[in-house]
Amino acid sequence: MNGEAGVRAARSRALAVLRLRGRALALALLPAAVAVVLLAGVPTGHLTGTGWDLARWTLTPLAALVLLTAAGVALLVARARPAMSPTVAITEEAAPDLYRMVRDLADRLAVPVPSAIALTPDCDSWLEDRTHPAHGSPPPAAEHGGAADAGRHPHRRAAAAPVLVIGSPFLWWMRVGELRAVLAPVVAGTGPSAHPDIAAARRFVRGLDAAVAVTSEHRRGPVFRTVFAGVGWVARALLRGCRVHAAEMERGVAAAAAERAQAVDYGLRIVAQEQVGLAYAGWDRLLTRVALPAWRMGRWPSRLNAGVVAALTELSRRDRLAEGFASRLGERPACDLLEEPGTVDEATSLLAARLFHGGPAGRGPDWSPVHWGDYPEEVVDRKWRTDAARLHRVLDTLGIRPGSGAQSPDPDGPTLSRVLDHLTDPRPDAHSAPGPGPGPAPAPVAGADPDDDEDLVGTTPRSAALAARISAEVAREGAAASARAASAASGPAAPVPAVAGTPTAQALQTLPADPASLWDDRALPLLPLQPPRTGRELLADHITAMVCCAAMDTVGATPGLDWLDGPALLVGGVRVADLPAQVMTLIEDGDPTALRLWLARQGIRPEKPVRLV
């Protein structure tokens, strides 16, 4: 499908959507029109008789009800706030070179210039229409190079160009030429978007979608729920009717934009698309392996986008398939198009923590930034010692006595031997019922049956019971943290992270104080990275943390950061990579032999107490 064919296909589908709207309006007006004809027959002496009177008295209230319903649906569709992606808005003062590049790109493509630029903490880019009055007043013309009329009246906002949303990892990993090549088909989409029929069809579909979302809320009384149920049924029926046409319209718009962008940096676009996939892999690994442990500790890395460069550089060093990508780092990065990349990075990092983890909207005593240089000490070390402390608290509640170790200066202190002795299966059959051994048999956990947990199948009874206890403890702590975050969110909003006293800090605009005014944040995290950790994973993490604490306190091991795998234990400056296998053997078989041999090779003394949080 070439560009002209794509535009024609998109316009025909847009007209189909508008025809559906027109038919719905005609259907709503039909009973009223018939009622008017029947009522007009009375003064003229026509349509008289008992049958006509009965028809008038029956149809007139029905027409009024239909008109009232239609007016309610139309009002809801017009006033409902369409969904808006949470982003960090970038003004022209904060990124004049970036705006200049986008304007030059739009001129080369002969399409309207996007009205503004925003960043999202994701590996994607798109155009977003923010002309609805609920999205706030349009930015002044000076902020986006005169792309929109600053004096435009609110009811004419639909003529404004959409906002260009750029994935923030692209700015840090890609070079300037690669970013321009990737954005070419996106910016080209402003051309078809400016067509009146396509714009009107999009507004109608977005209004229906917003109306369905409003009617689906359950925070209203029974009367409103009843009324909204009927209105929602009509909106859903209309949305189902135009779904296929809307999807085909968007495909036509995408085809037209891609065809128009063929003439701009086509050869470079092929290379840039490879970087898109690589950036996505590095960003996902950074969030799940590096950022998520920090978020769980109440800390948010303030330079996530800079971290993705380090992660992808490490990937290029390890993976021969990625060889050659690191050599690109000598070229000018796209983040140089920003006046102060650090300020923008901090804002997008905080937004990423909110979207993917559900953290607060601003800094606080339990939610503070951490720099990469401080990550090992402030996140890794604290995480391990916190998990080790939780493990020993759970052992205390189970009544497990301290581990063996007569040479220990504090036999009652928290030792690794206590954990190993408790998890050692005293019988040859690892899956038989627990017999007498070190410490009493584990007490049943209220509300948790390890035998019914599929994840714990294949573990020893003691491992399953301990995992269930740890899961319950983590769940209680998580609920308490959520309650504290909710109470903090009800107070005044914290200031946006920015570098004080700089022009960019004043020009950089993030979400307003009330995030719900733009996007629904009642179900945070909106985009959870991973499902909740299973009992087996939690138990493995806690035992690993206890081993790492013993290594740090007995042989001088240090916490470290691996850009692809997250927290790492360094013994003699070398990363330890074979510990997880030994821990899983202990959990599944109840046999500590392999782990004890590993500890002996490293010189770690499990009978010595460790320092906890």
mmCIF file of all heavy atoms in Angstrom, residues 482-524:
data_model
loop_
_atom_site.group_PDB
_atom_site.id
_atom_site.type_symbol
_atom_site.label_atom_id
_atom_site.label_comp_id
_atom_site.label_asym_id
_atom_site.label_seq_id
_atom_site.Cartn_x
_atom_site.Cartn_y
_atom_site.Cartn_z
ATOM 1 N N SER A 482 2.337 0.008 51.347
ATOM 2 C CA SER A 482 1.304 0.587 50.486
ATOM 3 C C SER A 482 0.436 1.553 51.263
ATOM 4 O O SER A 482 0.047 2.607 50.755
ATOM 5 C CB SER A 482 0.455 -0.524 49.871
ATOM 6 O OG SER A 482 1.244 -1.388 49.084
ATOM 7 N N ALA A 483 0.123 1.203 52.517
ATOM 8 C CA ALA A 483 -0.682 2.102 53.338
ATOM 9 C C ALA A 483 0.060 3.403 53.617
ATOM 10 O O ALA A 483 -0.530 4.490 53.578
ATOM 11 C CB ALA A 483 -1.051 1.408 54.649
ATOM 12 N N ARG A 484 1.358 3.308 53.883
ATOM 13 C CA ARG A 484 2.134 4.531 54.109
ATOM 14 C C ARG A 484 2.199 5.381 52.846
ATOM 15 O O ARG A 484 2.098 6.601 52.901
ATOM 16 C CB ARG A 484 3.550 4.169 54.567
ATOM 17 C CG ARG A 484 3.617 3.604 55.967
ATOM 18 C CD ARG A 484 5.052 3.607 56.486
ATOM 19 N NE ARG A 484 5.929 2.825 55.620
ATOM 20 C CZ ARG A 484 6.179 1.532 55.803
ATOM 21 N NH1 ARG A 484 5.609 0.879 56.792
ATOM 22 N NH2 ARG A 484 6.997 0.882 54.996
ATOM 23 N N ALA A 485 2.351 4.717 51.688
ATOM 24 C CA ALA A 485 2.406 5.467 50.435
ATOM 25 C C ALA A 485 1.080 6.150 50.143
ATOM 26 O O ALA A 485 1.039 7.278 49.642
ATOM 27 C CB ALA A 485 2.786 4.530 49.288
ATOM 28 N N ALA A 486 -0.036 5.472 50.461
ATOM 29 C CA ALA A 486 -1.352 6.069 50.219
ATOM 30 C C ALA A 486 -1.567 7.281 51.111
ATOM 31 O O ALA A 486 -2.105 8.304 50.682
ATOM 32 C CB ALA A 486 -2.446 5.035 50.447
ATOM 33 N N SER A 487 -1.124 7.183 52.357
ATOM 34 C CA SER A 487 -1.276 8.337 53.249
ATOM 35 C C SER A 487 -0.378 9.486 52.825
ATOM 36 O O SER A 487 -0.751 10.651 52.923
ATOM 37 C CB SER A 487 -0.948 7.923 54.684
ATOM 38 O OG SER A 487 0.402 7.472 54.781
ATOM 39 N N ALA A 488 0.798 9.169 52.294
ATOM 40 C CA ALA A 488 1.683 10.229 51.812
ATOM 41 C C ALA A 488 1.130 10.878 50.561
ATOM 42 O O ALA A 488 1.267 12.083 50.349
ATOM 43 C CB ALA A 488 3.075 9.667 51.536
ATOM 44 N N ALA A 489 0.467 10.071 49.710
ATOM 45 C CA ALA A 489 -0.097 10.626 48.478
ATOM 46 C C ALA A 489 -1.248 11.567 48.755
ATOM 47 O O ALA A 489 -1.531 12.476 47.968
ATOM 48 C CB ALA A 489 -0.566 9.494 47.563
ATOM 49 N N SER A 490 -1.951 11.395 49.905
ATOM 50 C CA SER A 490 -3.061 12.275 50.223
ATOM 51 C C SER A 490 -2.597 13.637 50.700
ATOM 52 O O SER A 490 -3.377 14.582 50.738
ATOM 53 C CB SER A 490 -3.939 11.634 51.307
ATOM 54 O OG SER A 490 -3.177 11.423 52.494
ATOM 55 N N GLY A 491 -1.310 13.780 51.042
ATOM 56 C CA GLY A 491 -0.774 15.062 51.466
ATOM 57 C C GLY A 491 -0.337 15.895 50.296
ATOM 58 O O GLY A 491 -0.592 15.577 49.136
ATOM 59 N N PRO A 492 0.351 17.017 50.559
ATOM 60 C CA PRO A 492 0.832 17.861 49.461
ATOM 61 C C PRO A 492 1.848 17.136 48.615
ATOM 62 O O PRO A 492 2.648 16.348 49.102
ATOM 63 C CB PRO A 492 1.454 19.072 50.186
ATOM 64 C CG PRO A 492 1.763 18.572 51.561
ATOM 65 C CD PRO A 492 0.712 17.555 51.872
ATOM 66 N N ALA A 493 1.809 17.413 47.320
ATOM 67 C CA ALA A 493 2.716 16.750 46.379
ATOM 68 C C ALA A 493 4.142 17.211 46.594
ATOM 69 O O ALA A 493 4.406 18.374 46.897
ATOM 70 C CB ALA A 493 2.294 17.025 44.940
ATOM 71 N N ALA A 494 5.056 16.289 46.436
ATOM 72 C CA ALA A 494 6.466 16.617 46.566
ATOM 73 C C ALA A 494 6.947 17.336 45.322
ATOM 74 O O ALA A 494 6.394 17.185 44.245
ATOM 75 C CB ALA A 494 7.284 15.339 46.784
ATOM 76 N N PRO A 495 7.982 18.151 45.446
ATOM 77 C CA PRO A 495 8.474 18.861 44.264
ATOM 78 C C PRO A 495 9.042 17.913 43.235
ATOM 79 O O PRO A 495 9.530 16.836 43.555
ATOM 80 C CB PRO A 495 9.565 19.775 44.841
ATOM 81 C CG PRO A 495 9.981 19.106 46.112
ATOM 82 C CD PRO A 495 8.752 18.444 46.649
ATOM 83 N N VAL A 496 8.964 18.328 41.993
ATOM 84 C CA VAL A 496 9.490 17.536 40.884
ATOM 85 C C VAL A 496 11.011 17.501 40.971
ATOM 86 O O VAL A 496 11.646 18.515 41.239
ATOM 87 C CB VAL A 496 9.034 18.164 39.549
ATOM 88 C CG1 VAL A 496 9.753 17.503 38.395
ATOM 89 C CG2 VAL A 496 7.548 18.044 39.398
ATOM 90 N N PRO A 497 11.626 16.316 40.784
ATOM 91 C CA PRO A 497 13.085 16.270 40.841
ATOM 92 C C PRO A 497 13.695 17.095 39.728
ATOM 93 O O PRO A 497 13.429 16.891 38.559
ATOM 94 C CB PRO A 497 13.383 14.772 40.655
ATOM 95 C CG PRO A 497 12.173 14.216 40.002
ATOM 96 C CD PRO A 497 11.025 15.037 40.479
ATOM 97 N N ALA A 498 14.499 18.051 40.073
ATOM 98 C CA ALA A 498 15.143 18.911 39.091
ATOM 99 C C ALA A 498 16.364 19.529 39.727
ATOM 100 O O ALA A 498 16.544 19.516 40.939
ATOM 101 C CB ALA A 498 14.195 19.993 38.605
ATOM 102 N N VAL A 499 17.218 20.044 38.901
ATOM 103 C CA VAL A 499 18.416 20.724 39.386
ATOM 104 C C VAL A 499 18.038 22.160 39.711
ATOM 105 O O VAL A 499 17.649 22.916 38.824
ATOM 106 C CB VAL A 499 19.527 20.670 38.328
ATOM 107 C CG1 VAL A 499 20.757 21.391 38.821
ATOM 108 C CG2 VAL A 499 19.853 19.226 37.979
ATOM 109 N N ALA A 500 18.094 22.513 40.954
ATOM 110 C CA ALA A 500 17.641 23.829 41.382
ATOM 111 C C ALA A 500 18.501 24.923 40.779
ATOM 112 O O ALA A 500 19.710 24.802 40.650
ATOM 113 C CB ALA A 500 17.681 23.918 42.905
ATOM 114 N N GLY A 501 17.823 25.994 40.410
ATOM 115 C CA GLY A 501 18.518 27.182 39.957
ATOM 116 C C GLY A 501 18.948 27.162 38.516
ATOM 117 O O GLY A 501 19.654 28.048 38.073
ATOM 118 N N THR A 502 18.559 26.151 37.744
ATOM 119 C CA THR A 502 18.946 26.086 36.346
ATOM 120 C C THR A 502 17.765 26.431 35.465
ATOM 121 O O THR A 502 16.625 26.167 35.823
ATOM 122 C CB THR A 502 19.442 24.676 35.993
ATOM 123 O OG1 THR A 502 18.359 23.760 36.198
ATOM 124 C CG2 THR A 502 20.625 24.287 36.846
ATOM 125 N N PRO A 503 18.020 27.021 34.298
ATOM 126 C CA PRO A 503 16.905 27.336 33.404
ATOM 127 C C PRO A 503 16.143 26.093 32.973
ATOM 128 O O PRO A 503 14.940 26.120 32.814
ATOM 129 C CB PRO A 503 17.598 28.015 32.209
ATOM 130 C CG PRO A 503 18.924 28.475 32.727
ATOM 131 C CD PRO A 503 19.309 27.500 33.777
ATOM 132 N N THR A 504 16.865 24.979 32.786
ATOM 133 C CA THR A 504 16.173 23.776 32.356
ATOM 134 C C THR A 504 15.229 23.267 33.423
ATOM 135 O O THR A 504 14.168 22.746 33.131
ATOM 136 C CB THR A 504 17.206 22.697 31.999
ATOM 137 O OG1 THR A 504 18.084 23.221 31.013
ATOM 138 C CG2 THR A 504 16.545 21.444 31.478
ATOM 139 N N ALA A 505 15.605 23.408 34.687
ATOM 140 C CA ALA A 505 14.726 22.968 35.760
ATOM 141 C C ALA A 505 13.418 23.735 35.747
ATOM 142 O O ALA A 505 12.373 23.207 36.116
ATOM 143 C CB ALA A 505 15.419 23.143 37.116
ATOM 144 N N GLN A 506 13.452 24.986 35.325
ATOM 145 C CA GLN A 506 12.225 25.763 35.252
ATOM 146 C C GLN A 506 11.453 25.451 33.982
ATOM 147 O O GLN A 506 10.230 25.513 33.956
ATOM 148 C CB GLN A 506 12.558 27.258 35.302
ATOM 149 C CG GLN A 506 13.303 27.662 36.574
ATOM 150 C CD GLN A 506 13.810 29.086 36.505
ATOM 151 O OE1 GLN A 506 13.584 29.782 35.522
ATOM 152 N NE2 GLN A 506 14.485 29.513 37.551
ATOM 153 N N ALA A 507 12.159 25.083 32.914
ATOM 154 C CA ALA A 507 11.476 24.804 31.654
ATOM 155 C C ALA A 507 10.934 23.390 31.596
ATOM 156 O O ALA A 507 9.975 23.119 30.888
ATOM 157 C CB ALA A 507 12.433 25.013 30.483
ATOM 158 N N LEU A 508 11.543 22.457 32.341
ATOM 159 C CA LEU A 508 11.107 21.075 32.331
ATOM 160 C C LEU A 508 9.802 20.942 33.084
ATOM 161 O O LEU A 508 9.709 21.321 34.238
ATOM 162 C CB LEU A 508 12.182 20.196 32.973
ATOM 163 C CG LEU A 508 11.900 18.706 33.009
ATOM 164 C CD1 LEU A 508 11.826 18.152 31.599
ATOM 165 C CD2 LEU A 508 12.960 17.998 33.820
ATOM 166 N N GLN A 509 8.811 20.405 32.453
ATOM 167 C CA GLN A 509 7.494 20.270 33.061
ATOM 168 C C GLN A 509 7.126 18.800 33.106
ATOM 169 O O GLN A 509 7.075 18.139 32.081
ATOM 170 C CB GLN A 509 6.435 21.024 32.246
ATOM 171 C CG GLN A 509 6.712 22.516 32.149
ATOM 172 C CD GLN A 509 5.700 23.212 31.270
ATOM 173 O OE1 GLN A 509 4.814 22.574 30.734
ATOM 174 N NE2 GLN A 509 5.851 24.503 31.141
ATOM 175 N N THR A 510 6.849 18.276 34.291
ATOM 176 C CA THR A 510 6.374 16.912 34.428
ATOM 177 C C THR A 510 4.897 16.947 34.764
ATOM 178 O O THR A 510 4.232 17.954 34.587
ATOM 179 C CB THR A 510 7.163 16.185 35.531
ATOM 180 O OG1 THR A 510 7.029 16.913 36.743
ATOM 181 C CG2 THR A 510 8.622 16.083 35.151
ATOM 182 N N LEU A 511 4.411 15.836 35.259
ATOM 183 C CA LEU A 511 3.001 15.757 35.572
ATOM 184 C C LEU A 511 2.646 16.759 36.661
ATOM 185 O O LEU A 511 3.436 17.056 37.543
ATOM 186 C CB LEU A 511 2.659 14.343 36.054
ATOM 187 C CG LEU A 511 2.901 13.251 35.029
ATOM 188 C CD1 LEU A 511 2.670 11.899 35.663
ATOM 189 C CD2 LEU A 511 1.986 13.436 33.842
ATOM 190 N N PRO A 512 1.403 17.281 36.661
ATOM 191 C CA PRO A 512 1.016 18.247 37.676
ATOM 192 C C PRO A 512 0.896 17.594 39.038
ATOM 193 O O PRO A 512 1.073 16.387 39.196
ATOM 194 C CB PRO A 512 -0.333 18.754 37.165
ATOM 195 C CG PRO A 512 -0.845 17.656 36.313
ATOM 196 C CD PRO A 512 0.360 17.016 35.701
ATOM 197 N N ALA A 513 0.566 18.435 40.038
ATOM 198 C CA ALA A 513 0.527 17.932 41.409
ATOM 199 C C ALA A 513 -0.487 16.814 41.571
ATOM 200 O O ALA A 513 -0.294 15.906 42.359
ATOM 201 C CB ALA A 513 0.187 19.082 42.362
ATOM 202 N N ASP A 514 -1.582 16.862 40.843
ATOM 203 C CA ASP A 514 -2.598 15.822 40.926
ATOM 204 C C ASP A 514 -2.507 14.937 39.692
ATOM 205 O O ASP A 514 -3.074 15.256 38.654
ATOM 206 C CB ASP A 514 -3.987 16.458 41.016
ATOM 207 C CG ASP A 514 -5.076 15.389 41.159
ATOM 208 O OD1 ASP A 514 -4.740 14.232 41.456
ATOM 209 O OD2 ASP A 514 -6.241 15.728 40.971
ATOM 210 N N PRO A 515 -1.803 13.808 39.752
ATOM 211 C CA PRO A 515 -1.640 12.991 38.566
ATOM 212 C C PRO A 515 -2.959 12.454 38.039
ATOM 213 O O PRO A 515 -3.101 12.179 36.864
ATOM 214 C CB PRO A 515 -0.725 11.850 39.043
ATOM 215 C CG PRO A 515 -0.103 12.334 40.305
ATOM 216 C CD PRO A 515 -1.099 13.268 40.912
ATOM 217 N N ALA A 516 -3.945 12.272 38.902
ATOM 218 C CA ALA A 516 -5.214 11.727 38.448
ATOM 219 C C ALA A 516 -5.932 12.661 37.494
ATOM 220 O O ALA A 516 -6.860 12.260 36.811
ATOM 221 C CB ALA A 516 -6.109 11.428 39.649
ATOM 222 N N SER A 517 -5.503 13.939 37.451
ATOM 223 C CA SER A 517 -6.132 14.851 36.517
ATOM 224 C C SER A 517 -5.764 14.533 35.081
ATOM 225 O O SER A 517 -6.407 15.010 34.159
ATOM 226 C CB SER A 517 -5.712 16.295 36.839
ATOM 227 O OG SER A 517 -4.319 16.447 36.667
ATOM 228 N N LEU A 518 -4.713 13.738 34.872
ATOM 229 C CA LEU A 518 -4.289 13.385 33.520
ATOM 230 C C LEU A 518 -4.448 11.900 33.235
ATOM 231 O O LEU A 518 -4.818 11.511 32.150
ATOM 232 C CB LEU A 518 -2.825 13.789 33.301
ATOM 233 C CG LEU A 518 -2.548 15.284 33.325
ATOM 234 C CD1 LEU A 518 -1.080 15.528 33.054
ATOM 235 C CD2 LEU A 518 -3.400 16.029 32.313
ATOM 236 N N TRP A 519 -4.154 11.049 34.197
ATOM 237 C CA TRP A 519 -4.253 9.618 33.955
ATOM 238 C C TRP A 519 -4.643 8.952 35.257
ATOM 239 O O TRP A 519 -4.364 9.430 36.348
ATOM 240 C CB TRP A 519 -2.958 9.051 33.405
ATOM 241 C CG TRP A 519 -1.718 9.467 34.128
ATOM 242 C CD1 TRP A 519 -1.085 10.657 34.038
ATOM 243 C CD2 TRP A 519 -0.966 8.696 35.077
ATOM 244 N NE1 TRP A 519 0.019 10.679 34.837
ATOM 245 C CE2 TRP A 519 0.115 9.488 35.482
ATOM 246 C CE3 TRP A 519 -1.098 7.421 35.594
ATOM 247 C CZ2 TRP A 519 1.053 9.049 36.397
ATOM 248 C CZ3 TRP A 519 -0.157 6.979 36.498
ATOM 249 C CH2 TRP A 519 0.903 7.784 36.893
ATOM 250 N N ASP A 520 -5.327 7.840 35.130
ATOM 251 C CA ASP A 520 -5.864 7.134 36.280
ATOM 252 C C ASP A 520 -4.744 6.364 36.968
ATOM 253 O O ASP A 520 -4.231 5.389 36.426
ATOM 254 C CB ASP A 520 -6.966 6.180 35.816
ATOM 255 C CG ASP A 520 -7.736 5.586 36.977
ATOM 256 O OD1 ASP A 520 -7.339 5.841 38.124
ATOM 257 O OD2 ASP A 520 -8.726 4.871 36.726
ATOM 258 N N ASP A 521 -4.385 6.793 38.181
ATOM 259 C CA ASP A 521 -3.289 6.142 38.906
ATOM 260 C C ASP A 521 -3.791 5.403 40.136
ATOM 261 O O ASP A 521 -3.051 5.175 41.070
ATOM 262 C CB ASP A 521 -2.229 7.177 39.320
ATOM 263 C CG ASP A 521 -2.786 8.192 40.306
ATOM 264 O OD1 ASP A 521 -4.030 8.287 40.418
ATOM 265 O OD2 ASP A 521 -1.991 8.878 40.969
ATOM 266 N N ARG A 522 -5.076 5.016 40.108
ATOM 267 C CA ARG A 522 -5.619 4.334 41.278
ATOM 268 C C ARG A 522 -5.235 2.863 41.315
ATOM 269 O O ARG A 522 -5.458 2.196 42.313
ATOM 270 C CB ARG A 522 -7.154 4.450 41.292
ATOM 271 C CG ARG A 522 -7.644 5.849 41.628
ATOM 272 C CD ARG A 522 -9.109 6.002 41.323
ATOM 273 N NE ARG A 522 -9.338 5.930 39.880
ATOM 274 C CZ ARG A 522 -10.552 5.900 39.330
ATOM 275 N NH1 ARG A 522 -11.604 5.911 40.089
ATOM 276 N NH2 ARG A 522 -10.682 5.855 38.032
ATOM 277 N N ALA A 523 -4.690 2.327 40.255
ATOM 278 C CA ALA A 523 -4.314 0.916 40.203
ATOM 279 C C ALA A 523 -2.832 0.780 39.914
ATOM 280 O O ALA A 523 -2.413 -0.015 39.075
ATOM 281 C CB ALA A 523 -5.137 0.187 39.144
ATOM 282 N N LEU A 524 -1.997 1.589 40.583
ATOM 283 C CA LEU A 524 -0.563 1.501 40.387
ATOM 284 C C LEU A 524 -0.037 0.197 40.967
ATOM 285 O O LEU A 524 -0.525 -0.272 41.990
ATOM 286 C CB LEU A 524 0.124 2.697 41.058
ATOM 287 C CG LEU A 524 -0.128 4.047 40.382
ATOM 288 C CD1 LEU A 524 0.460 5.164 41.239
ATOM 289 C CD2 LEU A 524 0.464 4.083 38.997
#
